[in-house]
């Protein structure tokens, strides 16, 4: 969710603040309640993601390219969760003075968060989606070309960190472009809850992060493209999931190894889960930005799109919180590492597996796939 517009939720708006959508009367109460729920979920999600991060940084998992990619996703999720809590935290973090319950304007500190903090949040959320796409792509290629020297080269320890850094940088440029036309302006007018406009006192510094009228057309075009870019990974991942399922079936027929069917099912199930979670992560938010800009002359569609932007912020929180749970139940290697880390298993026998080459300890029993 990004601060792309200024929305006035009352019947009478100050003349110097533009109304882009006509939101329903129930929106304020619903949005405030949603912020409380979101803040609680984000607090829990940070604890879960930190635990996930500790497990992924264990030496037992760092040998595997997929886990290294998941570590990058985990770091992006953690940053976005913290920034999301800061940006959208409810009133117990930002006390509201009497008479300011319906203010559209904010303090300068909150305006800075709306412009820059939300931009970084958006960058890390989208980067996590692209990293999930790259992870699915890598699995497809590793199944298609299991003995390829090029695939072995992609398993080198420096490749994934480079991919993560480049992904964050490129998505950062996209976020900067989307936020480029936003300006922080001090406002002298606001309104009370009954819609009465009034002049703010000189000592009351209130600001808006908004797009100037002269840049609105350009910003609408940028937001249109931005929405497509946000949704793009989620549209590609189902194709990769189908390719992965087909390639696994072909490999199974070629090798005719029935004993590995459970592990292959885990691989397929994991990729399908990542696909569906990424779909929920970016498609609603991405297409809401797309619709908001494309249907410029349709107040109803723009209103619905804005509401989706606001409430879709809950999907990344749920998505990132589910990753360690899925890994625990679908990956023996992850599960044994977690048990060993927290003292539930002593002298765990772990197998280190790369997609194209296998490393083992003398204490291992048999080779198996990571998922």
């Amino acid at each position: 969710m990004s601060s792309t517009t200024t929305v006035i939720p009352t019947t009478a708006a100050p003349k110097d603040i533009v109304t882009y959508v006509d939101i329903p009367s129930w929106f304020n109460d619903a949005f405030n309640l949603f912020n409380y729920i979101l803040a609680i979920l984000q607090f829990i999600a940070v604890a879960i993601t930190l635990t996930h991060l500790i497990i992924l940084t264990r030496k037992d998992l760092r040998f595997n390219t997929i886990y290294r990619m998941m570590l990058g996703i985990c770091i992006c999720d953690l940053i976005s969760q913290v920034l999301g809590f800061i940006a959208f935290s409810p009133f117990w973090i930002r006390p509201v003075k009497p008479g300011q319950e319906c203010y559209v304007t904010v303090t300068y500190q909150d305006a800075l968060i709306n412009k820059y903090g939300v931009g970084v949040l958006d960058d890390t959320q989208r980067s996590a989606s692209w990293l999930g796409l790259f992870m699915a792509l890598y699995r497809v290629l590793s199944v298609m070309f299991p003995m390829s020297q090029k695939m072995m080269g992609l398993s080198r320890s420096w490749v994934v960190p480079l991919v993560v850094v480049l992904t964050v940088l490129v998505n950062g440029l996209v976020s900067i472009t989307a936020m480029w036309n936003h300006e922080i302006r001090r406002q002298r007018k606001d309104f009370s809850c009954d819609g009465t406009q009034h002049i703010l006192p000189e000592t009351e510094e209130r600001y808006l992060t908004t797009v100037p009228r002269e840049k609105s057309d350009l910003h609408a075009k940028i937001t249109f493209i931005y929405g497509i870019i946000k949704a793009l990974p989620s549209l590609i991942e189902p194709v990769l999931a189908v390719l992965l399922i087909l390639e696994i079936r072909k490999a199974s027929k070629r090798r005719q190894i029935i004993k590995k069917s459970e592990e292959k099912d885990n691989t397929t199930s994991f990729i399908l889960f990542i696909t569906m979670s990424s779909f929920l992560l970016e498609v609603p938010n991405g297409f809401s930005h797309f619709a908001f800009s494309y249907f410029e002359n349709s107040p109803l569609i723009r209103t619905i799109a804005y509401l989706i932007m606001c409430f879709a912020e809950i999907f990344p929180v749920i998505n990132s919180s589910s990753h360690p749970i899925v890994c625990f139940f679908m990956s023996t290697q992850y599960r044994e590492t977690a048990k060993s880390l927290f003292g539930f298993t002593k002298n765990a026998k772990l197998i280190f597996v790369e997609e194209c080459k296998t490393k083992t300890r003398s204490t291992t029993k048999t080779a198996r796939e990571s998922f």
Side-chain angles (χ1 to χ4, degrees), residues 174-226:
V174 174
S175 297
I176 290 173
T177 303
M179 303 292 290
W180 188 261
N181 293 315
H182 288 197
E183 295 182 2
I184 298 177
R185 291 186 174 184
R186 183 178 179 182
Q187 299 291 322
R188 297 300 309 278
K189 298 179 181 179
D190 215 313
F191 53 90
S192 58
C193 293
D194 61 3
T196 303
Q197 181 176 302
H198 57 89
I199 304 297
L200 296 174
E202 286 287 345
T203 56
E204 192 73 32
E205 294 189 3
R206 307 289 297 185
Y207 298 85
L208 278 179
T209 305
T210 186
V211 177
R213 288 185 179 90
E214 61 271 15
K215 297 181 180 179
S216 59
D217 292 339
L218 174 62
H219 183 70
K221 295 177 181 178
I222 293 175
T223 305
F224 176 83
I225 300 173
Y226 169 77

Side-chain angles (χ1 to χ4, degrees), residues 107-336:
T107 64
Y108 187 72
Q109 176 181 339
D110 289 344
L112 288 175
I113 293 174
N114 288 337
K115 183 173 182 179
Y116 299 107
V118 174
V120 177
L121 182 155
D122 178 75
D123 176 15
T124 52
Q125 278 187 1
R126 199 177 332 104
S127 295
S129 295
W130 279 102
L131 291 175
L133 172 65
F134 295 148
M135 185 171 64
L137 177 61
Y138 181 81
R139 290 298 292 172
V140 171
L141 294 177
S142 65
V143 173
M144 292 177 66
F145 311 105
M147 303 305 294
S148 171
Q149 292 295 325
K150 293 183 179 179
M151 291 304 301
M152 290 183 182
L154 293 178
S155 300
R156 295 174 182 173
S157 59
W158 58 268
V159 173
V160 171
L162 179 62
V163 171
V164 172
V165 170
L166 290 177
T167 301
V168 172
L169 289 177
V170 172
N171 281 300
L173 292 176
V174 174
S175 297
I176 290 173
T177 303
M179 303 292 290
W180 188 261
N181 293 315
H182 288 197
E183 295 182 2
I184 298 177
R185 291 186 174 184
R186 183 178 179 182
Q187 299 291 322
R188 297 300 309 278
K189 298 179 181 179
D190 215 313
F191 53 90
S192 58
C193 293
D194 61 3
T196 303
Q197 181 176 302
H198 57 89
I199 304 297
L200 296 174
E202 286 287 345
T203 56
E204 192 73 32
E205 294 189 3
R206 307 289 297 185
Y207 298 85
L208 278 179
T209 305
T210 186
V211 177
R213 288 185 179 90
E214 61 271 15
K215 297 181 180 179
S216 59
D217 292 339
L218 174 62
H219 183 70
K221 295 177 181 178
I222 293 175
T223 305
F224 176 83
I225 300 173
Y226 169 77
I228 296 177
I229 294 174
K230 282 182 69 69
L232 189 59
S234 300
L235 300 179
I236 299 175
E237 279 192 324
V239 178
L240 292 178
V242 173
L243 288 176
L244 180 60
I245 294 172
L246 294 176
E247 289 301 323
I248 287 177
R249 289 179 177 176
K250 290 179 182 178
S252 177
K253 290 179 180 179
R254 287 195 301 265
R255 293 177 295 184
Q256 295 181 350
I257 301 178
I258 301 177
K259 292 182 180 180
K260 290 187 177 181
S261 60
E262 181 180 352
E263 293 166 342
K264 292 194 288 289
D265 287 341
N266 285 344
T267 303
T268 304
S269 300
F270 179 77
I271 296 299
L272 288 175
F273 172 81
I274 294 296
T275 299
M276 293 305 299
S277 62
S278 295
F279 182 87
L280 292 175
L281 176 63
E282 290 292 0
V283 166
N285 207 341
F287 277 103
S288 63
H289 283 82
F290 170 86
F292 192 89
S293 300
Y294 186 79
F295 298 99
E296 189 173 357
N297 298 321
S298 176
L300 177 60
I301 294 180
R302 285 170 66 88
T303 299
I304 295 174
Y306 176 77
L307 297 178
I308 293 175
M309 289 183 205
C310 294
F311 295 107
E313 194 62 32
I314 198 170
F315 292 127
V317 178
I318 297 175
N319 175 53
S320 59
S321 300
S322 63
H323 287 174
I325 300 174
V326 174
C327 288
F328 186 86
F329 286 104
M330 290 189 177
S331 170
T332 302
Q333 193 173 352
Y334 183 95
R335 183 166 57 252
E336 293 301 323

Side-chain angles (χ1 to χ4, degrees), residues 45-55 74 78 81:
V46 168
I48 295 175
T49 305
L50 282 174
T51 305
H52 188 41
L53 179 66
I54 293 172
I55 297 172
C74 181
L78 184 62
Q81 288 164 2

